[in-house]
Amino acid sequence: CPLGPALLFVKIGQEAAEGRRFYACSACRDRKDCNFFQWEDEKVSETRLAAREEYNRTHQPPRTHRQNVERYKEFVLLPLSKRRFCQECQQLLLPAEWEKHSDHQLLCGISAAQLRSPSQLLYPLENKKTNAQYLFAGRSCQFLLDLILDLGFRRVLSVGTPRLHEIIQSKASQEEDFRVRSLLLDIDFRYSQFYTEDEFCHYNMFNHHFFGGEAARETCRKFLCQDNGERVIMVTDPPFGGLVEALASSFKKLMAMWKESEAEDQDNQEMPMFWIFPYFFETRILEFFPSFRMMDYQVDYDNHALYKHGKTGRRQSPVRIFTNLTPSRIVLPVEEGYRFCAVCERYVSSGNRHCEMCNSCTSKDGRQWKHCVLCKKCVKPSWFHCNNCNCCALQNHACEKPDAGCFVCGKAGHKRSACPSLSHA
Ligand code: SAH
Ligand code: ZN
Ligand code: ZN
Ligand code: ZN
Ligand code: ZN
């Protein structure tokens, strides 16, 4: 499809235990955004293939990255009074194009500072099913940057983190002794108007597809492998509706790219990574990356009403940092209430108390959790032990029916996602 190779899914029906497999768009979870569909065993005719290729070709951005870079060069030579940005087309305009956009909303007098902060200039693409662009609040972005600097990193592969990329590149262009560099990989092609091919690659993180082909892939590989791959970290903040296994598969490929760097002493090492994602995906992420640990730091966002920081009276953010770096190295701000637990050897949120029975700081959401002796683990403060279900749950939950078996094979004891009769493709 226009977004690169499709992914193989399985449709689980009640009759066929194995389910029927089909290909669909990797990045759009809404058929309205991309309606690519093909059964796995379907024969596709030559004519249909050709039509598909033609469709994919015509559904690419109207200009290439190179053309956008050339336009940018022209744009910055213009005097301030001639620098216009079309808000409707989300595009920097050259004087010859003003005419065509005359009945559009324009921003005039685009300054150098504005050009250094494209994430402020462009409106966030919030459609949940595809881009889900939620920008870091200043507090969180600065925290990430300081952490990266304190840990001594020199290169940041920013995968779906345009705002982090932009503060790094902005500092690099203004402060002589600032030595950190960033490469942005993102599906939002609007950014190609502001960054060269060495700063931005049009990339799909659900299928590891570089829209710029081999040259773009090589840019990324070089960036990762420079200086024997030392002092590089990848930071990613994918859309939360995204499939964890698809993301994990792409991230493993990026890690493998880094591994190609020559250094021999990193044989058993992984590329350092921050994966920013909600805490309730912890089990899923650890399934794919057993070396990762979840940090208590609450990441918050500018344009997300729900995911803002608790300290200001708003709801607490469920978004966390997952990392393969030693947890004790991730120093969280004491002034925001985080403290160091000497037993767990990591920073935890203020409400997270160390449970003697579990021998760990067990809260996931920042509230203080309570230990249940019957479940032999800590649970949310709002939960109670239910003797019917033999586990803790909300007081007014509907008890699980004894006959509620697996949707695929009908047997009790597991859900369909864990059904042993499904081959793990
Ligand atoms: N908090 C980050 C932005 C995270 S929002 C920041 O402030 O920098 C998710 C980001 O992932 C967006 O920039 C979005 O354009 C990008 N994205 C969404 N789907 C993607 C995909 N399939 N491949 C690559 N990037 C994607
Ligand atoms: Zn502890
Ligand atoms: Zn406990
Ligand atoms: Zn219990
Ligand atoms: Zn119950």
Side-chain angles (χ1 to χ4, degrees), residues 360-375:
S360 98
C361 289
T362 46
S363 171
K364 303 291 182 194
D365 59 11
R367 296 178 298 169
Q368 189 179 328
W369 285 26
K370 59 182 187 190
H371 192 84
C372 170
V373 282
L374 295 170
C375 292

Side-chain angles (χ1 to χ4, degrees), residues 346-404:
R346 67 177 181 103
Y347 281 79
V348 296
S349 51
S350 53
N352 194 357
R353 272 220 279 174
H354 191 85
C355 169
E356 298 298 336
M357 259 88 68
C358 297
N359 195 29
S360 98
C361 289
T362 46
S363 171
K364 303 291 182 194
D365 59 11
R367 296 178 298 169
Q368 189 179 328
W369 285 26
K370 59 182 187 190
H371 192 84
C372 170
V373 282
L374 295 170
C375 292
K376 296 194 184 68
K377 65 177 185 187
C378 282
V379 297
K380 289 183 179 172
S382 52
W383 286 16
F384 294 91
H385 193 81
C386 167
N387 288 322
N388 251 347
C389 302
N390 215 0
C391 68
C392 283
L394 278 173
Q395 193 135 46
N396 58 355
H397 71 281
C399 286
E400 209 173 294
K401 299 202 183 57
D403 59 345

Side-chain angles (χ1 to χ4, degrees), residues 135-148 164 167 235-237 240 274-280 282 293-302 307-311 315-323 327 329-340 346-352 361 363-367:
L135 300 168
F136 294 131
R139 177 191 83 92
S140 285
C141 206
Q142 192 60 49
F143 165 75
L144 284 171
L145 178 61
D146 291 343
L147 185 58
I148 289 165
L164 178 66
I167 57 167
V235 182
T236 184
D237 187 11
F240 303 148
F274 289 159
W275 178 344
I276 298 167
F277 227 50
Y279 70 81
F280 33 83
E282 183 183 22
R293 290 292 167 270
M294 186 174 87
M295 303 293 104
D296 269 20
Y297 184 79
Q298 299 193 0
V299 178
D300 58 11
Y301 296 85
D302 260 358
Y307 299 175
K308 282 181 173 167
H309 192 59
K311 282 277 121 70
R315 232 174 98 167
Q316 303 205 32
S317 163
V319 185
R320 303 288 183 271
I321 301 169
F322 294 84
T323 185
R329 296 177 68 199
I330 313 299
V331 180
L332 305 187
V334 175
E335 60 282 8
E336 286 179 31
Y338 298 100
R339 63 179 176 81
F340 188 72
R346 67 177 181 103
Y347 281 79
V348 296
S349 51
S350 53
N352 194 357
C361 289
S363 171
K364 303 291 182 194
D365 59 11
R367 296 178 298 169

Side-chain angles (χ1 to χ4, degrees), residues 232-304:
V232 54
I233 184 168
M234 169 176 154
V235 182
T236 184
D237 187 11
F240 303 148
L243 290 163
V244 172
E245 50 265 78
L247 292 169
S249 147
S250 298
F251 299 162
K252 284 188 187 211
K253 285 174 186 158
L254 289 168
M255 282 173 153
M257 233 182 205
W258 170 82
K259 271 239 173 208
E260 289 169 24
S261 55
E262 301 286 83
E264 278 155 19
D265 57 344
Q266 54 191 28
D267 272 353
N268 292 311
Q269 271 189 39
E270 269 176 2
M271 171 168 71
M273 183 163 141
F274 289 159
W275 178 344
I276 298 167
F277 227 50
Y279 70 81
F280 33 83
F281 282 103
E282 183 183 22
T283 326
R284 293 293 285 151
I285 293 184
L286 266 52
E287 234 173 79
F288 294 99
F289 294 106
S291 63
F292 280 32
R293 290 292 167 270
M294 186 174 87
M295 303 293 104
D296 269 20
Y297 184 79
Q298 299 193 0
V299 178
D300 58 11
Y301 296 85
D302 260 358
N303 57 330
H304 203 302

